[in-house]
Amino acid sequence: MIAGLQSRHDPDRGRRYKPRKLHADKAYDQPDLRKWVRGKRIGVRIARKGIESSERLGRHRWVIERTMSWLSGYRRISPRCERNPRNYLGFLGLAAALCCYKRYVRLAT
């Protein structure tokens, strides 16, 4: 995923930007992976096996896992249901919009 990541252009600032830090759990604790990510000039925050608890990373991971849980509630997003990438991305955008709308309604009332 990181190898396919491209820096994006920010029209407001007039420059390219990329992620500043990578958060991962103990499964990604490999010296060559840490070295490779640092070579890309991205900060590494990976829990070390046998040394650190992954609980501190939980607050960052929870946001991602919660979002994936919300999106998995929509049946058409399952890759088995939709094989065409354009349709899949369309349904993914629609599901994300619905999740945001539901969250907004819940917070506004």
Side-chain angles (χ1 to χ4, degrees):
M1 181 176 79
I2 296 171
L5 181 70
Q6 298 176 2
S7 60
R8 296 182 293 177
H9 180 71
D10 184 3
D12 296 333
R13 295 187 217 164
R15 63 185 178 102
R16 295 190 174 273
Y17 65 93
K18 62 182 174 183
R20 290 178 286 168
K21 197 180 276 189
L22 170 71
H23 293 271
D25 59 3
K26 294 179 184 184
Y28 298 97
D29 183 27
Q30 300 171 3
D32 52 337
L33 178 64
R34 287 178 183 269
K35 185 177 178 182
W36 184 81
V37 172
R38 284 189 186 123
K40 298 278 186 188
R41 296 183 181 162
I42 299 173
V44 179
R45 181 65 185 102
I46 302 174
R48 291 173 283 176
K49 293 180 184 175
I51 298 173
E52 279 182 278
S53 168
S54 59
E55 289 179 12
R56 290 183 59 192
L57 291 172
R59 60 184 164 177
H60 299 288
R61 288 180 50 216
W62 182 78
V63 175
I64 302 298
E65 290 176 6
R66 177 192 64 195
T67 306
M68 294 306 295
S69 174
W70 286 346
L71 291 175
S72 66
Y74 295 94
R75 193 177 62 125
R76 292 296 295 224
I77 294 182
S78 173
R80 286 168 268 162
C81 291
E82 196 56 59
R83 303 226 188 270
N84 187 345
R86 291 181 72 187
N87 291 346
Y88 177 76
L89 287 175
F91 283 121
L92 183 63
L94 182 61
L98 287 171
C99 287
C100 290
Y101 175 73
K102 286 179 181 179
R103 179 81 173 148
Y104 173 75
V105 167
R106 192 175 321 143
L107 291 174
T109 57

